[in-house]
């Protein structure tokens, strides 16, 4: 029986062959399996693909064990943002300024050798910022790219008073692109090119603005940039620009805060859940517990419902700050 493979499948296969890391290969193999026409003629190919996916997963697992657990950072809180950029940009200093983490900071290149996470407080929640070794043409380990690929967003940090911050930005983006990672503006429509490409939302951080007191260099860089990413001015040294930077980073996570309430009790307003923006009552129930969505009898919402405590349908879209009572 002929396999009748579609152009979509051939495209996925081309991407598989172009993929460089095991992670990329796995993403591509999964894509091939999802787009392969499902009929008798492709049974064997489907079986082969499933075995290939299993082998790739095993090999990733083996690599991880060899490198130890610290190389891929487990996401925590409302989302995970990676700090990327050339050596000495001030990535570690930025982490130290915005979180309680205590990274090593020094004025020689490649001070940071391993990922280090920290939690940034924002509103009544937290998100995770991860310091990485530099993305550098002379040397960059593949776990750096793997972490970026898996993150919810990235901050491209450069020293605004450095030798050539515009070149630093484009070089970092080129190195990422060589590993099929494209930095895109927050909320920009996805290019939809699919694996092995990963679109990661990003902002540019012009750090060390304390070394540019008149703002001349900052203005120059802003004027010269042709990329479509938001730009934040910041100083890890003094903390200037911290509030708008944190707000921009949190915005890239596209989450809403949802509070829960037990029937007949006061809501728990201390610790919100952070759920994906646009999520419905049913999504949220599944998010809280995988059984909840199935057993959900009714939900009441305070906030985005027409009136407080209104019983809402399962497809009611929640808004930031809503209080939800799930009746199971
Ligand atoms: N004046 C000033 N100096 C800074 C600022 N941020 C970082 N530095 C200095 O720049 C140097 C490099 O800072 P790091 O935070 O180690 O830079 P990094 O990007 O983590 O460097 P790598 O780990 O090598 O990639 C250190 O001497 C810092 O003290 C800043 O905002 N202002
Ligand atoms: Mg560092």
């Amino acid at each position: 029986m002929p396999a009748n493979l579609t152009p979509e499948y051939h495209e996925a296969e081309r991407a598989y062959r172009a993929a460089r890391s095991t992670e990329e290969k796995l993403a591509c193999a999964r894509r091939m399996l999802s787009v392969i026409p499902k009929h008798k003629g492709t049974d064997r190919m489907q079986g082969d693909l499933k075995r290939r996916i299993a082998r790739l997963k095993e090999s990733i697992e083996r690599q991880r064990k060899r490198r130890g657990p610290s190389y891929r950072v487990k996401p925590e809180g409302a989302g995970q943002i990676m700090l990327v950029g050339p050596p000495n940009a001030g990535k570690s200093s930025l982490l130290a300024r915005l979180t309680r983490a205590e990274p090593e900071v020094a004025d020689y290149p490649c001070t940071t050798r391993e990922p280090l996470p920290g939690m940034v407080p924002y509103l009544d929640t937290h998100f995770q910022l991860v310091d990485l070794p530099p993305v550098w043409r002379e040397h960059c380990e593949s776990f750096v790219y793997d972490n970026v690929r898996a993150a919810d967003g990235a901050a491209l940090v450069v020293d605004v008073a450095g030798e050539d911050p515009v070149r630093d930005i484009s070089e970092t983006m080129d190195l990422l692109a060589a590993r099929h990672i494209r930095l895109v503006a927050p909320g920009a429509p996805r290019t939809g090119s699919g694996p092995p490409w990963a679109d990661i939302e990003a902002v540019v951080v012009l750090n060390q603005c304390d070394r540019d007191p008149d703002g001349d260099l900052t203005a120059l860089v802003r004027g010269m940039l042709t990329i479509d990413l938001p730009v934040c001015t910041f100083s890890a040294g003094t903390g200037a620009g911290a509030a708008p930077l944190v707000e921009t980073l949190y915005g890239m996570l596209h989450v809403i805060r949802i509070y829960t309430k037990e029937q007949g009790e006061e809501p728990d307003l201390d610790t919100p859940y952070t759920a994906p923006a646009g999520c419905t009552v049913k999504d949220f129930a599944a998010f809280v517990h995988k059984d909840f969505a199935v057993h959900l009898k009714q939900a009441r919402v305070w906030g985005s419902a027409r009136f407080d405590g209104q019983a809402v349908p399962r497809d009611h879209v929640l808004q930031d700050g809503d209080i939800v009572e799930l009746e199971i």
Side-chain angles (χ1 to χ4, degrees):
M1 198 179 204
N4 289 331
L5 297 172
T6 57
E8 211 180 359
Y9 177 83
H10 288 300
E11 181 51 44
E13 194 177 24
R14 257 196 300 283
Y16 178 87
R17 281 199 299 270
R20 291 172 62 173
S21 71
T22 321
E23 256 92 358
E24 281 176 34
K25 279 205 183 313
L26 176 62
C28 293
R30 285 193 165 131
R31 169 108 188 118
M32 282 161 75
L33 185 61
S34 77
V35 301
I36 193 169
K38 309 282 185 305
H39 56 68
K40 268 248 157 299
T42 63
D43 269 358
R44 275 216 16 218
M45 293 178 76
Q46 290 186 52
D48 285 347
L49 272 173
K50 282 179 192 157
R51 274 188 294 279
R52 201 182 304 174
I53 288 169
R55 270 202 306 276
L56 288 166
K57 276 202 220 151
E58 275 166 25
S59 131
I60 289 171
E61 207 41 53
R62 268 200 308 278
Q63 284 172 11
R64 244 177 236 160
K65 281 201 187 116
R66 238 193 349 257
R67 291 165 175 170
S70 68
Y71 280 84
R72 182 76 162 269
V73 178
K74 187 170 154 274
E76 276 179 58
Q80 185 180 57
I81 291 175
M82 294 291 156
L83 297 173
V84 296
N88 280 337
K91 301 177 292 299
S92 303
S93 307
L94 187 156
L95 182 81
R97 170 62 68 179
L98 298 183
T99 74
R100 288 193 187 158
E102 294 175 352
E104 200 183 334
V105 167
D107 60 1
Y108 53 84
C110 297
T111 311
T112 304
R113 310 213 155 238
E114 282 186 13
L116 181 72
M119 298 304 287
V120 183
Y122 182 69
L123 301 173
D124 51 358
T125 179
H126 289 77
F127 64 91
Q128 188 186 50
L129 209 55
V130 182
D131 185 21
L132 291 172
V135 172
W136 193 23
R137 65 186 174 296
E138 293 192 20
H139 176 76
C140 187
E141 296 205 55
S142 62
F143 72 78
V144 171
Y145 298 106
D146 295 341
N147 272 290
V148 179
R149 175 170 274 281
D152 299 308
L156 199 178
V157 186
V158 295
D159 174 2
V160 73
E163 211 173 284
D164 191 343
V166 175
R167 182 204 58 200
D168 287 345
I169 293 167
S170 75
E171 211 169 87
T172 307
M173 291 182 73
D174 288 349
L175 287 165
L176 292 169
R179 296 300 194 104
H180 296 115
I181 296 166
R182 190 165 19 224
L183 299 186
V184 298
R190 295 291 146 131
T191 52
S193 36
W197 283 97
D199 287 354
I200 303 293
E201 295 194 356
V203 301
V204 170
V205 180
L206 301 181
N207 186 37
Q208 313 211 18
C209 71
D210 57 294
R211 302 212 291 140
D212 174 34
D214 303 326
D216 297 346
L217 297 170
T218 305
L220 196 67
V221 173
R222 280 181 183 269
M224 282 171 75
L225 279 184
T226 52
I227 48 165
D228 177 32
L229 303 182
V231 177
C232 291
T233 306
F234 179 68
S235 165
T238 66
L245 172 61
V246 169
E247 196 179 330
T248 308
L249 295 176
Y250 179 81
M252 284 201 300
L253 302 175
H254 306 291
V255 290
I256 51 173
R257 294 163 304 148
I258 306 291
Y259 304 86
T260 52
K261 170 183 174 319
E262 301 274 335
Q263 222 174 339
E265 287 180 27
E266 287 299 308
D268 174 8
L269 296 178
D270 292 336
T271 39
Y273 282 88
T274 43
C279 88
T280 63
V281 165
K282 182 167 172 253
D283 301 333
F284 179 66
F287 191 75
V288 173
H289 193 287
K290 64 181 185 335
D291 295 340
F292 279 18
V294 185
H295 298 122
L296 182 66
K297 282 209 198 87
Q298 179 171 278
R300 293 180 186 282
V301 171
W302 284 254
S304 63
R306 186 109 51 85
F307 57 85
D308 277 352
Q310 187 182 2
V312 295
R314 296 157 68 95
D315 62 357
H316 176 82
V317 176
L318 293 169
Q319 301 294 332
D320 185 52
D322 276 357
I323 299 169
V324 179
E325 182 182 284
L326 299 172
E327 205 180 304
I328 310 297

